[in-house]
């Protein structure tokens, strides 16, 4: 509850305070004050009524509106004069919907994917199958090249995986003659194949970056450039850091302006936020950004009332309502940042390739300072582009889409990529969570190319600052990727995208496979130690059968695995040195040292991630749902107690596991130490890697340095500068600030017809907010009030008309000479 006690001010002093909050020029403020003074108001309510009438002059006569509506428009236009052009811009009264363009509705029906019910019907009524047939996958113009390359990849993976599995067979006690060893070998084969896919992807990427690839998507392929096209830059957000979000967009806006092609683009912030303070911050920051850039007709903002299908639903809703205005949309995440020349290059490549439906850029991680984040930034900068180039090489126009920093052709996206709700119950049903892979598969099925522009720089993102934040994000991604098991056998998808679905599933199930493999291997070692050896397994044998141990084969297999895991990283470093770019990474010594730090830290964290991902897979398969909330993006250190609580089960597992191995099979125990030790010291790793001071020390000494820190692009520097300029806002500002309150009420539109019971409930909320202060309401009640423009405007006027100005408001308003006595006594 907010303390209400303060001293009395005069009616004219209250008017002066209100005018000061409107940020009017001195001449207009003086004019309005004189009009109020001439009315000689005796009470605060009469003074505010006179001020509203003075503000409304010229509005009621011109537009036939009541004084209150005219005063509302005047308050909006006093703070944001350029918004005058948006009045009635989308139809309806006043400023309703003025933060968005006029509607241009297109239909967008969910794509058909899961045909299981129709398969049963087709057996009974074969002719039904003809009418319900799904669209056939349109062949790629590069189909033969893709098939040849992917067949080559299959051979490169299958043969070494088979050889490694044979080597594994030789080191097992019974050479694969027991059921347990058959399972171990099968798991080992899957793991070998998985790491080989990554290895050959990196090798192909190294080849492409070194030699180039004539099949890359580019703007200079000789195709005729299409006519002028408009592009929407779309950022769906949900409870994000408002200052960082808008600072990034403003930096991109300015960068585009510098290219001279700003007229081709519009910006959209599509909010699903629900917290009242976040809503207030978003609305104020949007309006101030537009005022600063003079961009009310180019920089738009919308908040949905219902968060249906999360990000994919937000994008689909945008396409249905406004997609008809644009040929392309560039999709961003809240932490995305792209250089203006990169944005225009994406459009140029789409224009030059009429068959392209989607072009994905490989984002580089930037802007974080924690130890872990800096290591990840270094890894994505040194090796990330090589892996992106490898994905391009193997998939060509059947590539990935990662959900952000990509350009999409809107018409085919709307026609073919709306996501259905998967029928049934359980973890694999309901809304499609990892929508990006599915949208890419549907785009490709319709005959449109999906490309990775591996050679396009100037695309950035941010990574989670701590291991706990990273694993929280992975928990959400795991649920979405496991769901791809359901879609793996959908009809008429391109084989390459089935492989990508399987790849997405393996991204998390590989951890579970590794964990089960280690548990079964440990179990066999313990059972062999407890079992009495049988040297004459065959009855009547004349000679004993001695157990055979081939240590050289085990060591060879271990070394070969290390080569597969680390050679791509060595090649990434070698390429930087060969091209003379080592100075951008702190010099040769620091580049090599940074690589060693990254390898050691990644190796230490691998068992921790393995255990967490295994738990994620298990909880997903048993149907446990997870909330898809916004992720932590700002640097923050993990407290010791939090880290200990988070990792305690893994520590206990490591102690029990290690004790059993040490007691019963001490010869096998050292082979598991690289797994058990990181699990036991996981809290130490988590706390240390979250430290910002360590990250800053490394940066100051040239370690984990990336070119974007050595010579930061203007866009990255501008984000920091703009963030420091932006003002914060909260729910109290929407209630009390004359400009922000008017803006919010104006965007909501006129009064709504309510059920009497609902109206009575909302009246009670408004009365309690007036009596006890807006912060006396809980978040749900505040949200209800925000959705009711009539009662919000009543509360705003009632607070300013009160004979005693509440202390919480006195603390917020601009301190003028006429309010000295009030603010001096505010609590």
């Amino acid at each position: 509850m907010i303390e209400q006690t303060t001293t009395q001010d005069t009616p004219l002093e209250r008017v002066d305070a209100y005018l000061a909050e409107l940020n009017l020029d001195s001449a207009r403020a003086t004019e309005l004050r004189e009009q109020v003074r001439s009315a000689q108001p005796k009470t605060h309510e009469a003074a505010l009524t006179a001020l509203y009438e003075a503000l409304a002059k010229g509005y009621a006569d011109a537009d036939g509106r009541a004084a209150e509506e005219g005063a509302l428009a005047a308050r909006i236009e006093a703070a944001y004069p350029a918004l005058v052009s948006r009045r009635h811009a989308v139809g309806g009264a006043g400023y309703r919907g003025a933060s968005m363009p006029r509607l241009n509705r297109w239909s967008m029906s969910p794509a058909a994917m899961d045909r299981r019910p129709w398969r049963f019907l087709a057996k009974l009524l074969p002719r039904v199958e003809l009418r319900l047939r799904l669209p056939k996958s349109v062949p790629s113009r590069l189909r033969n090249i893709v098939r040849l390359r992917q067949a080559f990849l299959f051979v490169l993976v299958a043969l070494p995986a088979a050889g490694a599995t044979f080597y594994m067979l030789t080191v097992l006690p019974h050479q694969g003659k027991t059921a347990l060893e058959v399972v171990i070998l099968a798991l080992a084969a899957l793991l070998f194949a998985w790491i080989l896919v990554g290895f050959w992807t990196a090798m192909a990427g190294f080849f492409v970056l070194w030699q180039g690839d004539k099949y890359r998507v580019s703007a200079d392929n000789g195709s005729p450039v299409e006519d002028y096209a408009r592009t929407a830059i779309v950022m769906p957000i949900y409870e994000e850091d408002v200052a960082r979000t808008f600072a990034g967009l403003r930096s991109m806006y300015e960068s585009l302006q510098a290219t001279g092609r700003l007229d081709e683009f519009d910006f959209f912030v599509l909010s699903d936020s629900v917290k009242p303070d976040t809503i207030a911050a978003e609305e104020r920051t949007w309006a101030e950004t537009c005022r600063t850039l003079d961009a009310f007709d180019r920089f738009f903002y919308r908040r949905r009332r219902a968060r249906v299908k999360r990000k994919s639903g937000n994008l689909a809703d945008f396409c249905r309502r406004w997609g008809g205005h644009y040929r392309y949309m560039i999709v961003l995440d809240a932490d995305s940042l792209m250089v203006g020349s990169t944005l225009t290059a994406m459009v140029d490549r789409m224009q030059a390739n009429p068959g392209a439906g989607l072009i994905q850029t490989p984002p580089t991680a930037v802007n974080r300072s924690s130890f872990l984040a800096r290591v990840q930034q270094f890894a994505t900068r040194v090796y990330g582009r090589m892996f992106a180039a490898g994905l391009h090489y193997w998939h060509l126009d059947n590539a990935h889409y990662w959900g952000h920093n990509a350009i999409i052709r809107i018409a085919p996206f709307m026609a073919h990529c709306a996501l259905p709700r998967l029928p049934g119950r359980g973890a694999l049903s309901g809304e499609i969570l990892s929508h990006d892979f599915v949208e890419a598969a549907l785009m490709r099925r319709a005959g449109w190319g999906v490309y990775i522009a591996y050679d396009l720089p100037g695309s950035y993102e941010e990574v989670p600052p701590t291991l706990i934040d990273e694993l929280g994000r992975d928990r959400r991604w795991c649920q979405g990727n496991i769901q791809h098991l359901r879609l793996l056998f959908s009809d008429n998808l391109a084989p390459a995208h089935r492989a990508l679905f399987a790849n997405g599933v393996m991204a998390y199930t590989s951890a579970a496979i590794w964990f089960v493999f280690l548990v079964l291997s440990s179990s066999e070692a313990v059972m062999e130690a407890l079992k009495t050896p049988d040297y004459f397994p065959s009855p009547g044998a004349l000679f004993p059968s001695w157990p055979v141990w081939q240590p050289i084969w085990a060591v060879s297999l271990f070394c070969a695995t290390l080569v597969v895991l680390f050679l791509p990283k060595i090649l990434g470093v070698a390429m930087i040195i060969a091209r003379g770019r080592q100075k951008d990474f702190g010099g040769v010594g620091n580049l090599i040292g940074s690589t060693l730090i990254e390898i050691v830290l990644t190796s230490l964290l691998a068992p921790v991630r393995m255990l967490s991902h295994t738990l994620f897979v298990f909880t997903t398969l048993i149907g446990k749902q997870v909330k898809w909330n916004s992720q932590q993006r700002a640097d923050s250190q993990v407290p010791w107690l939090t880290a200990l609580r988070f990792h305690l089960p893994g520590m206990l597992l490591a102690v029990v596991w290690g004790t059993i191995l040490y007691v019963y099979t001490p010869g096998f125990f050292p082979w598991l130490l690289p797994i058990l030790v990181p699990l036991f010291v996981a809290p130490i790793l988590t706390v240390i890697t979250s430290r910002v001071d360590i990250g800053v020390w490394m940066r100051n000494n040239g370690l984990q340095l990336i070119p974007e820190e050595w010579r930061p692009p203007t866009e990255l520097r501008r984000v920091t500068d703009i963030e420091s300029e932006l003002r914060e806002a909260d729910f109290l500002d929407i209630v009390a600030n004359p400009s922000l309150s008017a803006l919010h009420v104006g965007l909501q539109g006129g009064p709504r017809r309510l059920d009497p019971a609902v109206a009575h409930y909302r009246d009670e909320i408004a009365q309690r907010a007036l009596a006890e202060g807006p912060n006396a309401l809980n978040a749900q009640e505040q949200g209800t009030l925000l959705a009711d423009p009539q009662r919000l405007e009543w509360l705003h006027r009632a607070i300013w008309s009160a004979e005693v100005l509440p202390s919480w408001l006195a603390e917020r308003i601009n301190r003028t000479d006429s309010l000295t006595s009030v603010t001096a006594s505010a609590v």
Side-chain angles (χ1 to χ4, degrees), residues 56-124:
K57 284 183 179 178
Y59 287 92
D61 294 340
D63 299 333
R65 292 179 291 179
E68 288 188 6
E69 190 175 342
L72 184 72
R75 283 156 51 199
I76 294 174
E77 293 163 15
Y80 312 109
L83 197 54
V84 174
S85 62
R86 302 296 303 166
R87 200 189 326 160
H88 306 307
V90 295
Y95 284 92
R96 181 179 181 182
S99 63
M100 291 293 283
R102 283 186 175 274
L103 294 174
N104 188 348
R105 291 187 180 275
W106 284 14
S107 63
M108 190 173 178
S109 302
M113 294 192 69
D114 191 347
R115 295 182 61 203
R116 293 179 307 163
W118 307 127
R119 286 176 182 155
F120 176 76
L121 266 177
K123 292 178 181 179
L124 301 178

Side-chain angles (χ1 to χ4, degrees), residues 548-796:
V548 179
W549 166 245
Q550 300 285 356
I552 188 63
W553 287 20
V555 173
S556 299
L557 182 61
F558 177 73
C559 292
T561 303
L562 292 181
V563 169
V564 169
L565 290 173
F566 299 129
L567 181 58
K569 301 186 177 187
I570 296 172
L571 289 178
V573 172
M575 182 179 293
I576 291 172
I577 297 174
R579 292 183 170 175
R581 300 192 59 194
Q582 62 271 17
K583 185 178 180 181
D584 292 339
F585 296 85
V588 173
N590 283 335
L591 175 60
I592 295 174
S594 298
T595 303
L596 292 176
I597 292 173
E598 190 273 334
I599 289 174
V600 171
L601 183 61
T602 301
S603 301
L604 288 173
L605 294 179
V608 182
R609 289 168 171 151
M610 171 200 70
L611 187 61
S612 295
H613 289 181
T614 300
L615 178 63
F616 298 161
V617 171
F618 174 75
T619 55
T620 297
L621 292 178
I622 64 174
K624 185 176 181 180
Q625 299 293 320
V626 63
K627 292 183 178 179
W628 281 51
N629 296 323
S630 59
Q631 68 183 49
Q632 170 69 28
R633 303 189 191 275
D635 291 316
S636 59
Q637 183 170 326
V638 176
W640 283 101
L641 187 58
T642 300
L644 183 62
R645 268 199 226 112
F646 187 85
H647 293 292
L648 185 59
M651 296 173 66
L652 296 176
L653 175 64
V655 170
V656 174
W657 194 350
T659 301
I660 293 173
L661 291 178
Y662 183 78
V663 171
Y664 292 104
T665 175
F668 189 70
F669 174 72
W671 289 86
L672 264 292
L673 281 179
I675 304 296
L676 301 177
V677 171
L679 289 177
F680 185 73
V681 301
I684 299 175
L685 293 174
T686 297
V687 172
I688 289 177
T689 56
S690 72
R691 294 270 297 270
V692 173
D693 56 345
I694 296 177
V696 171
W697 179 88
M698 289 194 301
R699 180 172 55 205
N700 293 339
N701 288 273
L703 292 172
Q704 305 300 315
L705 196 66
I706 60 176
E708 285 72 18
E709 294 172 321
W710 182 260
R711 281 191 290 265
T714 303
E715 291 77 9
L716 291 180
R717 294 197 304 268
R718 282 294 293 152
V719 169
T720 303
D721 295 340
I722 295 169
E723 270 191 279
S724 63
E725 299 172 2
L726 296 176
R727 293 190 297 164
E728 296 181 355
D730 57 20
F731 174 69
L732 293 182
D733 288 309
I734 283 189
V735 172
N737 183 275
S739 302
L740 188 57
S741 175
L743 178 67
H744 179 84
V745 170
L747 294 178
Q748 298 297 309
R752 294 169 174 79
R753 295 180 181 178
L754 301 175
D755 181 90
V758 174
H760 178 69
Y761 168 69
R762 294 189 177 184
D763 287 337
E764 286 184 345
I765 292 176
Q767 292 285 353
R768 185 150 52 90
L770 177 63
E772 303 176 17
N775 272 352
L777 306 180
N778 60 38
Q780 182 179 358
E781 291 169 337
Q782 290 178 353
T784 300
L785 202 56
L786 284 179
D788 193 322
Q790 183 179 10
R791 285 159 183 81
L792 189 64
E793 177 65 9
W794 173 87
L795 177 62
H796 171 80

Side-chain angles (χ1 to χ4, degrees), residues 44-64:
H44 294 80
E45 184 176 3
L48 197 66
T49 299
L51 176 60
Y52 270 45
E53 291 174 352
L55 283 167
K57 284 183 179 178
Y59 287 92
D61 294 340
D63 299 333

